[in-house]
Amino acid sequence: MPRHHEAKFRAVTSFQRRVLNPLVRRLPWQTLLETTGRTSGLARRTPVGGRRVGGTFWLVSEYGDKSQYVRNILADPAVRVRIGGRWHHGTAHPLPEDDARARLGSLPRLNSSAVRLFGTRLLTVRVDLTD
């Protein structure tokens, strides 16, 4: 990763982790992705932007496999997604072969704009919902 991408990654993720995510997680309408921490085994909830299409939830990670929630998914793909205030169980699948930039065109505009602006290693994630 080029040096300026690494600095951008550190700055953005630090702000998200310490300031933005703790606030946004409390909003009842915010979509959340819950993974299991790969070393702690604890539930980890991350605000995400995405869209449900039938029995599938789609999202794009800004930093691909550098994102902590993607690393957790790679260790344990069983997840929960809170959509519209309701929790759904599912299995997450990172899709490196998918065109993440094109996928953003079908996802909520505000979040997609932020992902395009701040992201450096976009990665599509598909969650197959089981309930």
Side-chain angles (χ1 to χ4, degrees):
M1 178 178 282
R3 188 179 180 115
H4 70 281
H5 283 200
E6 187 63 34
K8 182 178 178 181
F9 168 77
R10 284 191 200 144
V12 171
T13 57
S14 179
F15 175 76
Q16 287 173 332
R17 190 176 317 118
R18 291 185 174 94
V19 179
L20 188 63
N21 288 357
L23 295 173
V24 174
R25 265 194 300 264
R26 296 170 196 231
L27 301 174
W29 63 84
Q30 174 64 48
T31 302
L32 297 177
L33 175 68
E34 183 180 84
T35 60
T36 301
R38 63 193 174 283
T39 55
S40 70
L42 300 174
R44 302 296 184 194
R45 293 181 177 174
T46 305
V48 295
R51 176 164 283 139
R52 183 178 183 165
V53 179
T56 304
F57 182 79
W58 294 92
L59 67 118
V60 174
S61 167
E62 294 168 301
Y63 299 110
D65 59 6
K66 285 196 72 166
S67 294
Q68 297 300 318
Y69 69 87
V70 172
R71 294 172 71 188
N72 289 342
I73 287 168
L74 292 171
D76 180 358
V79 300
R80 291 193 323 152
V81 183
R82 187 178 77 182
I83 307 167
R86 182 167 175 253
W87 286 100
H88 304 271
H89 290 88
T91 304
H93 307 276
L95 302 174
E97 67 280 0
D98 190 68
D99 183 348
R101 288 206 177 275
R103 178 72 56 193
L104 286 171
S106 67
L107 301 180
R109 186 172 295 159
L110 180 61
N111 180 263
S112 294
S113 297
V115 170
R116 280 188 188 98
L117 178 65
F118 296 114
T120 56
R121 297 174 65 177
L122 304 184
L123 174 67
T124 300
V125 177
R126 182 187 82 224
V127 179
D128 297 327
L129 303 172
T130 58
D131 60 347

